[in-house]
Amino acid sequence: MSLLRQQGPAPAVTPSTVPAEGVGTPATGRGRRRTGRQSAHTRHQAMGLMLVTPFGLLFAAFLVAPLAYAFWLSLRTSTLVGGDHFSWFANYQQTFTDPHFLAGVRRVVVFGLVQVPIMLGLALLGALIIDEVSSKLAKVFRMTLFMPYAVPAVIGALMWGFLYSPTFGPVNSLSHALGTGKIDLLGHSLMLTSLGNIVTWQWTGYNMIVLYAALQGLPREVYEAAKLDGAGQIQTALRIKVPMISSAMVLTLMFTIIGTLQFFTEPRVLEPTASSVITPDYTPNLYAYNLAFQYSEFNYSAAISFSLGAVVFIGSYLFLFATRKRSGLK
């Protein structure tokens, strides 16, 4: 008591003005935690931006910039008489009235209506078989069907061009030996069939592997329940497996349709061998390529390319929209 009396009364100190050492007030603590969270969030944003920046630069340099330049070219017209001038959408109006472009679109649509169902049907059948049979023979079958996908498209087309050749091809030699006469596989009547055979040979294995992977993801309990209910292998395949992999089937179908509309490599490789059949406007992509690199019509070629891209985009969107409920894709 004497010591307190000598020192006098302690000065009044408010907690908000002088906090104790090492212990913050509740308001200051929340502020520090908020500041810490903001700093961590800023660091995460900076780290994410730093990781994404290289991809963004490459994306802009090798995709956005070429597309923007091609679109700018498509809005211009360059002729010897009129010079180079801005013509807005005149090239696009010409594209959708061009009989060469429209004939190419009709040809690839007819090609796709026949070839796509055959190829995907074979791929689905192969996937169902190797999913049901678990033996070494199934592995050999799977690798054999997938192997053509590993062959570059140009090499595959050259190989089939040799087999189709009417002068030294083994197919015609065999048909001549059998007395069936000459079969012109590169003629007008069989050209689409020959091209469809090349595409089917090359892409069936790829689609089969995609569908087989979807089948492997299905729960095996469903198969056992179907077996207990008396369902056979064919019923299980048609009523359980196929409906449950409908999303994978829709994806493979959509990718195949896009690839069909962009049909280029096989007719381009066979063009020198069958120049009277595969004309420069045989497919829309081939038409755009020949306009650009043979006739130097870069502006009109760019307009055709963007028009074909618009057709592919709208067709893909409508297809996904029409099948969204059945496939479960959004």
Side-chain angles (χ1 to χ4, degrees):
M1 290 297 291
S2 60
L3 180 62
L4 291 175
R5 192 177 296 116
Q6 292 175 1
Q7 291 178 349
V13 179
T14 57
S16 58
T17 55
V18 184
E21 185 178 356
V23 180
T25 63
T28 305
R30 285 196 296 271
R32 288 179 177 174
R33 287 195 294 271
R34 188 180 301 112
T35 304
R37 286 196 297 270
Q38 289 176 349
S39 300
H41 182 67
T42 304
R43 286 196 300 272
H44 288 164
Q45 283 186 330
M47 183 63 71
L49 186 62
M50 186 180 68
L51 293 174
V52 170
T53 297
F55 167 77
L57 292 176
L58 292 175
F59 183 79
F62 293 103
L63 185 65
V64 177
L67 284 177
Y69 179 68
F71 184 68
W72 179 79
L73 280 180
S74 70
L75 300 177
R76 304 182 67 84
T77 299
S78 179
T79 59
L80 290 175
V81 178
D84 185 70
H85 62 278
F86 203 75
S87 58
W88 290 99
F89 296 98
N91 289 326
Y92 291 93
Q93 292 177 354
Q94 182 182 351
T95 296
F96 288 102
T97 57
D98 187 345
H100 300 285
F101 175 74
L102 297 178
V105 172
R106 283 195 296 271
R107 188 173 291 112
V108 295
V109 169
V110 171
F111 173 82
L113 288 176
V114 177
Q115 187 268 334
V116 171
I118 294 175
M119 182 181 66
L120 292 185
L122 291 174
L124 178 61
L125 179 63
L128 290 172
I129 290 175
I130 61 177
D131 180 66
E132 189 66 30
V133 180
S134 56
S135 64
K136 292 184 178 179
L137 185 62
K139 295 180 180 178
V140 174
F141 179 68
R142 185 171 63 227
M143 289 301 299
T144 304
L145 278 183
F146 186 71
M147 195 176 297
Y149 177 69
V151 178
V154 175
I155 302 299
L158 286 173
M159 182 189 70
W160 281 102
F162 166 74
L163 296 175
Y164 291 158
S165 174
T167 54
F168 51 81
V171 175
N172 265 301
S173 300
L174 181 62
S175 64
H176 182 72
L178 295 176
T180 57
K182 183 179 179 181
I183 302 176
D184 190 4
L185 295 173
L186 298 178
H188 283 278
S189 58
L190 293 178
M191 179 54 76
L192 280 181
T193 305
S194 301
L195 290 172
N197 178 59
I198 299 174
V199 177
T200 303
W201 170 80
Q202 187 153 34
W203 290 95
T204 298
Y206 169 80
N207 291 306
M208 182 196 72
I209 292 298
V210 173
L211 298 177
Y212 174 68
L215 286 171
Q216 290 295 297
L218 298 181
R220 296 292 160 179
E221 293 81 4
V222 179
Y223 302 161
E224 296 175 1
K227 190 175 181 180
L228 291 176
D229 290 339
Q233 292 182 341
I234 296 178
Q235 288 178 317
T236 303
L238 296 180
R239 298 186 178 182
I240 295 178
K241 293 182 179 180
V242 173
M244 292 184 73
I245 62 169
S246 58
S247 58
M249 293 176 63
V250 168
L251 279 179
T252 55
L253 181 56
M254 188 186 69
F255 292 152
T256 304
I257 291 174
I258 293 174
T260 301
L261 291 174
Q262 298 176 348
F263 198 24
F264 175 77
T265 304
E266 290 80 6
R268 178 72 183 95
V269 172
L270 295 182
E271 187 179 10
T273 309
S275 57
S276 61
V277 180
I278 301 179
T279 54
D281 58 348
Y282 197 73
T283 67
N285 257 351
L286 192 61
Y287 186 39
Y289 172 83
N290 286 317
L291 282 175
F293 297 106
Q294 287 195 7
Y295 306 108
S296 299
E297 297 185 19
F298 298 104
N299 305 100
Y300 188 45
S301 174
I304 286 181
S305 301
F306 273 94
S307 301
L308 181 62
V311 171
V312 171
F313 177 78
I314 294 173
S316 303
Y317 178 79
L318 292 177
F319 177 76
L320 285 178
F321 184 79
T323 59
R324 69 188 188 285
K325 291 184 179 179
R326 178 168 298 182
S327 63
L329 298 173
K330 296 181 179 179

